[in-house]
Amino acid sequence: MKYVYIFLITLICAISVNGQEFEFARLTERDGLPVNNTFCFLEDDQGFIWIGTASGLCRFDGYEIKSFTQKEGYKISDDVITSLMQDSEGIIWVGTDRGGMNRFDPQTETFTTYQPDPLDSQTIAGERVRMIKEGPDGALWIAFDNGFGLSKFDKRTGISVNYDPFDSLSRDVKAIRSLVLDQYNQDIIWLGTTKGLIRFNIKEESFEKIDHPLTSIKRDGIFGLDQIDENRLIVGFFSAGIDIYNIKEQAWDKIYTDPSEVLRIYDLSRKSENEYWVSARKKGLAIYNVEQRKLKFIKSSLDNPLTPFPGFTYSVYGTDDRVWVGGKHGVSYSNNESQIFPFDSIPFTNPDLGQLSDITGKNEHIYAVGINLDGIWKKNKITGETEFLSLDEKIGGLYGMVETDSSLYLYDLHQKIYEYAKADGSITEVNTDAITSFIRELNEWDESHAIILTSYGNAWLLEYGTNKLTALYSPDESEADWQFDVLKRKDGSLWFGGTKGITEFKPTTGESVRVTLDILGGELQRCFALTRSKDDVIWIGTNIGLVRMKEDSLELFDRSSGLDGNSVSQIVFDKDDNMWLNTDRGFSKFDPSTKEFINYDQSHKIDSEGFLAVIDGEVHYGTYGGYFSITGQEPIEKKRDLPEVHLLSFKVAHEDVRSEKKIDYLDELQLDYWENSFSITFSTPNYHRPERVKYAYRLVGQDKDWILNDYRFANYTNLKGGEYTFEVKAQIPGGGWGEVKSLNISVATPYWKTTWFYLLMGASFFALCFVIYKARVGVIQRKADQEAQELQIEALQKRLLDINLNPFDRQLDFQELNQALNEPLTQREFEILDLIIQEKTNTDIANQLFISRSTVKFHLRNTYKKLGVNNRREALVFVNKNL
């Protein structure tokens, strides 16, 4: 989507109406409108503009359009929006063409619908809502466009009391097109209808039709209506222009357009005390002066994007600083900014080439010079009278000057210096033969001298009165560069700023060295301005921004810090010690204590090719055609409110986080541990050069400093569990930083990183170790018990053999033994059985056969099973018995 302000950057156009300039921007379907046909507007209490179209409701913040339509999934009764109103509680009421009235809650972004029910007399009177107004008691008055009349709606109960203004009138088209609550009499409502003006007395519940001379030719249909003051109404007729009704005298002024000229007024909106914005069918936008009784149309063209759309205009809506116009082609809105500083013009001989190069002044006079060969202008600061002081024709354009109590010293296009005596107007040419290079600067040095800086690095002192020149500094050819400024150091040395950075010159030794300042990881390349503030801080204007030097500490302020332009060519202080900077984008005011900038540029009618001058402690900005008075004057425009930032969305994995209210209405937000990566979108409504709005944000608990940029979103990833606070603020061009918007964010810690989980895991580990230990001890104990038992059995068996049995007295035969068994023994089993008979222990058997004791036990179990016995003794008995 292309933002509207692109047109303002690429084109320059102004339309003069009543001596005031207007520039317009446009919104169409290309910019995000659901459809071009636009019927109504509303500026809510947060500064957002709501737009009612023939295909849905929209919200605009100067950057982009968000739609609240049925297509977007919102449960609004109808997408043809005819009326918008925000009540005292912040609820937005939406009138539709076929769906009655909708209640929209900005905190939840949900709709509640109220529609007529023929079987219920306490519902609203109709479905085609034309206008909604809130009364002093909080009740809503609803005007309908289809002859159903007027409703008084109780917001708390949803019950409606309905009235019919047309009960006694003819049965042709009857519709209310406008509704005005009398500001001075709470019992009276004025209705603009297709049958003319109707007065409704709320207490008496009576309607009075106020006839008009145009009634006889059926030209009294009223679309636009407003109350001018206690005694006057302004009335816009659908077919006969504008008239004014005198309430006290109950009479019309009869100033309407000639009935032969069909001028159809669609809408009216207050512009100023004596002026109204007017939208007219096929004729576009106009301004009506109530006192002069004059209607002037603003020039419009479909091809010129800086004019309002021509032709059909259905609605006009004036806010404090602009007008919004809706029609069949889309939305037009004025985007002009009044000049915020007073401008004093200079009567140049050739205005097209008139450009100031320097201004100065002491006491009651200001002197100005330019480069267009005119001369000197002398202006009395008290009376404002300007006097032109002609110079010798041989003198070219003047590029700079220094003022003393008695004279002006100037240098011209030919690099000559002249002394202009204030007393008699005489001109003396100073002998500058010794100066061989071009003069770049002529500045005040001390009470008796001026300093001259040249293109190739030379510096000279000019003594006032005697006009004597003294060489101050002459660099080697290898060090020579263009000089822009010079600073006296406390140690007596001089710092010269030029195209190669800073050169230090020591007059006592004649030595000059290059000063190396490491800025942003690189040596300073260009130095345009050098000055020292009262607190002994050196300020340096460079091609990369403003540098603060305190002892050996350096700090850079550039665009990331809030400075509009990167190149700082001048640094001056006003009488209140405020710092003013001349940049490549205009000029800026800087507060060193808060480190905040206020920037002024072309959007404030400030040209970027100018210079700053301090006269009697007041700052002036010289440019084409004259100069601006910056300090000591009140800005022409009213003081602008500081911007208020609103949170538009909070997304996790590209999905809005679930909450009962929209993010802008929450004080805190609880997130699960897996929601630790998120993005926040924010905005401050701004409809003039929104790209110039600066934002600063930080996540307290994560970011150390404010993050400055032009973007309206912040991203954070892989945050640790804990408590955070998101803070954001905005700065509009020409204003300070607004109030900080904050949101407390709690990110849950993953369970595997919590203290209780660590304790549980530790306890589980020790428990597991204990179980393993106990199991191992049990195995070892059982093994020991088994071995001990086996030893006991062996001993017992041996003892029984000694007592009851005789050893097997012949050699055991393998085949003979297997013949006595159902399941034969293996060779290894037979060997082990033979050794048992020989009264060998398990250990003896293992050693003799080179096997393990466990293997011996394994074969013994198999042998016992095949013999049908349980132990050694029974095995010996079996052998003695069967062999």
Side-chain angles (χ1 to χ4, degrees):
M1 186 183 83
K2 297 181 179 178
Y3 295 152
V4 174
Y5 60 75
I6 294 177
F7 293 119
L8 301 177
I9 298 174
T10 56
L11 295 173
I12 300 177
C13 177
I15 303 92
S16 178
V17 179
N18 292 344
Q20 188 172 357
E21 291 184 343
F22 294 93
E23 294 177 357
F24 280 81
R26 295 175 175 180
L27 294 174
T28 65
E29 294 177 19
R30 293 182 178 181
D31 303 296
L33 287 178
V35 69
N36 286 336
N37 278 342
T38 305
F39 300 137
C40 55
F41 299 94
L42 168 69
E43 182 180 36
D44 67 17
D45 53 14
Q46 294 182 332
F48 293 102
I49 290 294
W50 294 82
I51 306 171
T53 75
S55 189
L57 177 65
C58 307
R59 186 185 68 193
F60 181 52
D61 62 357
Y63 300 91
E64 57 187 3
I65 295 171
K66 179 178 180 179
S67 297
F68 298 82
T69 64
Q70 294 177 352
K71 182 179 180 181
E72 300 296 328
Y74 291 92
K75 296 181 179 180
I76 186 171
S77 60
D78 183 20
D79 276 340
V80 181
I81 312 300
T82 57
S83 179
L84 293 168
M85 191 276 298
Q86 185 174 35
D87 66 19
S88 55
E89 298 173 352
I91 299 298
I92 295 177
W93 296 88
V94 184
T96 70
D97 185 56
R98 298 290 181 181
M101 182 176 66
N102 292 264
R103 178 188 185 274
F104 177 76
D105 187 347
Q107 295 193 28
T108 59
E109 293 188 353
T110 56
F111 290 92
T112 304
T113 300
Y114 299 91
Q115 294 178 308
D117 183 352
L119 301 179
D120 187 352
S121 61
Q122 292 185 331
T123 59
I124 61 176
E127 59 184 10
R128 298 185 62 181
V129 177
R130 177 68 183 186
M131 191 167 288
I132 307 171
K133 293 290 182 70
E134 183 180 25
D137 59 354
L140 300 184
W141 290 93
I142 312 169
F144 298 93
D145 196 26
N146 54 352
F148 286 98
L150 181 70
S151 292
K152 182 179 182 181
F153 180 79
D154 189 318
K155 295 184 295 183
R156 183 179 58 84
T157 63
I159 295 176
S160 177
V161 178
N162 302 319
Y163 304 90
D164 184 4
F166 309 106
D167 185 42
S168 60
L169 302 179
S170 60
R171 295 185 177 181
D172 55 356
V173 177
K174 295 180 292 185
I176 302 175
R177 297 296 170 83
S178 54
L179 180 153
V180 173
L181 305 179
D182 197 302
Q183 304 172 48
Y184 305 93
N185 187 342
Q186 296 185 4
D187 294 332
I188 300 300
I189 293 179
W190 300 94
L191 305 175
T193 76
T194 52
K195 304 301 294 182
L197 181 64
I198 295 178
R199 179 181 182 272
F200 175 50
N201 189 303
I202 299 175
K203 279 189 175 181
E204 298 176 0
E205 297 187 355
S206 63
F207 293 92
E208 176 189 359
K209 184 178 183 300
I210 300 172
D211 292 327
H212 190 276
L214 295 178
T215 304
S216 59
I217 57 174
K218 297 183 179 180
R219 298 282 290 279
D220 62 340
I222 297 173
F223 271 49
L225 181 65
D226 194 44
Q227 187 170 18
I228 301 172
D229 51 35
E230 185 176 5
N231 197 41
R232 292 182 298 174
L233 298 175
I234 182 171
V235 181
F237 292 95
F238 180 63
S239 300
I242 296 173
D243 201 355
I244 292 178
Y245 179 71
N246 190 299
I247 299 174
K248 184 177 181 180
E249 297 177 3
Q250 299 184 9
W252 296 91
D253 283 3
K254 301 181 182 179
I255 58 172
Y256 48 86
T257 307
D258 188 336
S260 62
E261 179 185 353
V262 179
L263 179 61
R264 297 185 172 180
I265 305 300
Y266 267 0
D267 201 4
L268 296 166
S269 183
R270 195 76 175 244
K271 179 181 182 294
S272 64
E273 184 178 355
N274 295 319
E275 291 181 318
Y276 273 85
W277 295 105
V278 178
S279 65
R281 184 182 183 186
K282 295 186 178 181
K283 290 184 175 291
L285 178 66
I287 295 177
Y288 182 77
N289 189 297
V290 175
E291 303 304 326
Q292 298 176 1
R293 305 293 202 268
K294 292 182 179 180
L295 183 69
K296 291 188 177 181
F297 282 91
I298 293 178
K299 182 181 178 181
S300 61
S301 170
L302 195 60
D303 297 327
N304 189 344
L306 294 186
T307 67
F309 280 120
F312 283 84
T313 55
Y314 303 128
S315 60
V316 60
Y317 181 77
T319 61
D320 289 341
D321 54 358
R322 68 192 70 247
V323 62
W324 299 81
V325 188
K328 74 172 186 177
H329 296 295
V331 175
S332 308
Y333 63 96
S334 63
N335 228 351
N336 63 300
E337 289 262 331
S338 58
Q339 188 63 61
I340 66 172
F341 294 111
F343 184 76
D344 293 326
S345 61
I346 297 296
F348 288 98
T349 302
N350 189 339
D352 294 334
L353 299 177
Q355 180 181 2
L356 284 184
S357 57
D358 206 352
I359 53 177
T360 185
K362 289 186 178 181
N363 303 321
E364 72 275 11
H365 290 107
I366 290 179
Y367 295 91
V369 295
I371 59 177
N372 66 334
L373 311 181
D374 275 353
I376 305 173
W377 290 270
K378 178 182 178 182
K379 179 174 182 178
N380 189 300
K381 292 194 294 184
I382 300 175
T383 64
E385 295 180 356
T386 302
E387 177 185 359
F388 177 67
L389 307 175
S390 180
L391 297 179
D392 192 320
E393 293 181 359
K394 295 181 181 180
I395 299 177
L398 298 172
Y399 280 82
M401 62 181 169
V402 172
E403 182 181 10
T404 69
D405 290 336
S406 59
S407 302
L408 295 175
Y409 284 88
L410 313 99
Y411 73 98
D412 72 353
L413 182 65
H414 305 298
Q415 309 304 312
K416 294 291 185 180
I417 297 178
Y418 306 92
E419 180 187 2
Y420 179 89
K422 296 179 183 178
D424 57 10
S426 62
I427 301 173
T428 302
E429 183 177 337
V430 177
N431 184 3
T432 58
D433 292 341
I435 301 177
T436 58
S437 56
F438 292 119
I439 298 173
R440 288 199 54 84
E441 296 289 338
L442 177 65
N443 296 328
E444 183 178 354
W445 183 248
D446 54 31
E447 293 181 357
S448 57
H449 294 85
I451 187 169
I452 303 170
L453 302 178
T454 69
S455 298
Y456 296 106
N458 294 285
W460 300 77
L461 289 183
L462 171 63
E463 186 177 22
Y464 299 141
T466 66
N467 294 341
K468 179 182 177 181
L469 288 176
T470 304
L472 180 63
Y473 170 62
S474 179
D476 296 334
E477 292 184 3
S478 61
E479 297 178 350
D481 64 350
W482 284 25
Q483 307 284 23
F484 299 111
D485 206 354
V486 60
L487 174 69
K488 296 178 183 178
R489 300 273 289 167
K490 282 189 172 183
D491 59 2
S493 63
L494 304 178
W495 272 14
F496 290 94
T499 55
K500 295 183 180 180
I502 297 176
T503 300
E504 182 178 15
F505 174 67
K506 298 180 180 180
T508 56
T509 63
E511 179 187 5
S512 62
V513 295
R514 192 70 66 184
V515 177
T516 301
L517 297 181
D518 187 14
I519 305 296
L520 292 179
E523 184 179 349
L524 177 65
Q525 297 297 318
R526 290 175 179 263
C527 174
F528 300 122
L530 289 163
T531 190
R532 179 188 288 108
S533 56
K534 289 183 178 180
D535 57 354
D536 201 33
V537 174
I538 293 178
W539 296 92
I540 307 171
T542 77
N543 62 311
I544 59 173
L546 176 68
V547 177
R548 178 186 184 273
M549 183 175 182
K550 179 74 170 178
E551 297 176 348
D552 294 330
S553 175
L554 297 175
E555 184 175 6
L556 176 66
F557 301 91
D558 56 10
R559 296 200 69 180
S560 65
S561 309
L563 177 64
D564 197 15
N566 278 334
S567 182
V568 178
S569 58
Q570 276 185 287
I571 305 171
V572 300
F573 293 89
D574 62 20
K575 60 185 177 182
D576 298 320
D577 296 326
N578 295 309
M579 183 183 294
W580 295 84
L581 311 173
N582 194 15
T583 74
D584 54 340
R585 301 294 293 271
F587 60 86
S588 302
K589 183 180 180 181
F590 177 61
D591 187 340
S593 60
T594 62
K595 300 181 179 180
E596 293 184 348
F597 291 89
I598 300 177
N599 302 302
Y600 300 92
D601 58 16
Q602 292 180 358
S603 67
H604 306 93
K605 314 300 181 185
I606 301 297
D607 192 273
S608 60
E609 297 181 9
F611 62 91
L612 294 170
V614 179
I615 302 175
D616 294 333
E618 297 177 355
V619 178
H620 298 75
Y621 187 74
T623 182
Y624 291 95
Y627 60 90
F628 298 94
S629 298
I630 307 303
T631 58
Q633 297 282 350
E634 289 296 326
I636 291 177
E637 73 169 4
K638 68 175 185 177
K639 183 178 179 181
R640 305 170 71 180
D641 294 332
L642 296 178
E644 181 180 350
V645 181
H646 299 283
L647 304 183
L648 300 184
S649 68
F650 192 106
K651 294 181 179 294
V652 176
H654 305 291
E655 296 290 338
D656 286 318
V657 68
R658 281 181 282 182
S659 61
E660 294 182 0
K661 296 181 179 180
K662 290 300 175 180
I663 195 66
D664 195 44
Y665 297 91
L666 295 178
D667 296 324
E668 60 180 357
L669 188 63
Q670 303 286 335
L671 300 177
D672 210 333
Y673 69 87
W674 55 268
E675 297 176 309
N676 63 338
S677 296
F678 51 78
S679 63
I680 306 175
T681 304
F682 43 83
S683 176
T684 181
N686 186 283
Y687 308 101
H688 181 81
R689 301 288 299 276
E691 81 280 5
R692 306 294 288 165
V693 178
K694 305 291 184 183
Y695 292 94
Y697 66 86
R698 64 181 178 184
L699 187 64
V700 180
Q702 176 71 11
D703 299 325
K704 294 182 179 179
D705 300 311
W706 289 95
I707 300 173
L708 302 174
N709 57 37
D710 302 334
Y711 305 115
R712 299 180 300 115
F713 60 86
N715 288 319
Y716 292 95
T717 57
N718 298 322
L719 293 176
K720 297 179 180 179
E723 303 296 325
Y724 302 91
T725 301
F726 179 73
E727 297 180 341
V728 60
K729 59 184 178 179
Q731 182 192 54
I732 57 177
W737 288 99
E739 185 178 350
V740 174
K741 174 73 174 183
S742 62
L743 174 67
N744 295 322
I745 302 172
S746 177
V747 179
T749 302
Y751 68 87
W752 60 84
K753 292 185 179 181
T754 59
T755 302
W756 65 264
F757 183 79
Y758 289 143
L759 293 175
L760 179 61
M761 291 301 296
S764 300
F765 175 76
F766 285 114
L768 179 61
C769 291
F770 180 75
V771 170
I772 295 174
Y773 168 76
K774 293 295 291 182
R776 181 60 179 166
V777 169
V779 170
I780 295 173
Q781 184 63 45
R782 285 194 297 273
K783 186 175 181 181
D785 292 344
Q786 186 175 2
E787 290 181 352
Q789 184 179 11
E790 290 177 353
L791 291 175
Q792 291 176 357
I793 292 174
E794 288 181 6
L796 179 60
Q797 289 176 342
K798 185 176 181 180
R799 184 178 178 185
L800 290 174
L801 289 173
D802 292 340
I803 296 174
N804 301 316
L805 297 175
N806 294 319
F808 192 64
D809 55 358
R810 62 187 180 89
Q811 186 176 0
L812 187 63
D813 184 82
F814 176 67
Q815 293 183 353
E816 183 182 3
L817 176 62
N818 280 339
Q819 289 177 358
L821 299 176
N822 295 327
E823 184 179 356
L825 298 178
T826 65
Q827 183 64 42
R828 178 65 72 184
E829 291 170 348
F830 178 79
E831 292 175 352
I832 292 173
L833 179 62
D834 188 34
L835 292 174
I836 287 175
I837 294 173
Q838 298 177 30
E839 301 180 8
K840 301 291 184 180
T841 66
N842 289 354
T843 302
D844 296 335
I845 297 172
N847 293 335
Q848 186 171 340
L849 298 179
F850 302 102
I851 59 176
S852 65
R853 294 181 72 253
S854 59
T855 302
V856 173
K857 293 178 182 179
F858 171 77
H859 289 300
L860 278 177
R861 285 195 295 273
N862 289 337
T863 301
Y864 292 160
K865 182 178 180 181
K866 293 177 180 180
L867 297 179
V869 299
N870 296 313
N871 48 51
R872 288 172 176 250
R873 178 178 177 280
E874 292 180 1
L876 183 59
V877 172
F878 179 87
V879 171
N880 281 316
K881 182 178 179 181
N882 293 283
L883 295 180

